[in-house]
């Protein structure tokens, strides 16, 4: 119950936020793959960039 009031590590908070964005982009890329392959590829590339940022943050921890 009191986990709500605990402060998160700022790096971990950024990783969590980027992970959510990554998941949304992958899901959207999958939906786009059925109708617009080029847009799907662009979304996948964007998600890959976010994944690289996540990996860099994990290394710095």
């Amino acid at each position: 119950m009191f986990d709500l009031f605990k402060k998160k590590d700022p790096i971990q908070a950024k990783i969590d936020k980027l992970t959510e964005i990554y998941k949304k982009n992958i899901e959207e890329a999958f939906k786009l793959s059925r109708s617009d392959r080029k847009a799907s590829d662009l979304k996948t590339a964007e998600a890959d960039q976010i994944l690289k940022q996540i990996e860099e943050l994990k290394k710095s921890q």
Side-chain angles (χ1 to χ4, degrees), residues 21-38:
I21 294 170
Y22 173 78
K23 287 179 183 179
K24 287 179 184 177
N25 282 346
I26 291 295
E27 186 176 317
E28 190 173 341
F30 177 71
K31 289 177 183 176
L32 285 170
S33 69
R34 297 179 186 157
S35 60
D36 187 1
R37 188 66 192 169
K38 186 175 182 180

